[in-house]
Amino acid sequence: QVQLAESGGGMVQPGDSLRLSCSSSARIRDRFAMAWFRQAPEKEREFVAAIMWPTGGPYYDDSVKGRFAMSRDSAKNMVYLQMSNLKPEDTAIYYCAGGPRLIWSSLWSANNYAYWGQGAQVTVSP
């Protein structure tokens, strides 16, 4: 069983930066995908970014492309989401997700991920 845990959320102002971290309790193996999703109040959970083991990606939703950067530390079994130029519409709970044996076309749907963290609140407000 893989357990994921996010950290690094908080409240920032528009234009600020924030970095989220996600740690895995188990070694991330080949053909495993890690992703970030977010869910704003009264909205569905939406894809933000994903990366595949051992190589592949990162891939981004158009709404964050150029502002967010996802990276991994394979030795530490961790992924990160560096968020820059944050906007109020980025306010949401950010979830780390993991899924085995995912292919590129499966990365975008939350239904394809077997493991989830508890979520980290990110609030962008003047």
Side-chain angles (χ1 to χ4, degrees), residues 26-113:
R27 186 172 74 89
I28 301 175
R29 301 181 180 275
D30 290 354
R31 298 182 63 196
F32 200 89
M34 295 288 288
W36 290 97
F37 285 79
R38 65 185 181 185
Q39 188 166 17
E42 301 181 356
K43 291 189 176 181
E44 293 189 357
R45 194 167 296 190
E46 63 179 14
F47 173 83
V48 176
I51 201 165
M52 301 176 73
W53 251 255
T55 60
Y59 310 100
Y60 301 98
D61 182 78
D62 286 345
S63 64
V64 305
K65 203 171 290 184
R67 300 188 299 121
F68 290 12
M70 184 175 183
S71 61
R72 61 177 147 220
D73 186 328
S74 298
K76 296 181 178 179
N77 297 304
M78 293 191 68
V79 294
Y80 306 94
L81 186 68
Q82 179 67 46
M83 303 181 290
S84 302
N85 190 21
L86 282 161
K87 304 176 181 180
E89 51 264 41
D90 294 318
T91 295
I93 299 175
Y94 284 71
Y95 295 92
C96 178
R101 298 180 297 279
L102 294 185
I103 59 176
W104 180 84
S105 59
S106 302
L107 296 176
W108 326 105
S109 173
N111 293 332
N112 295 324
Y113 290 84

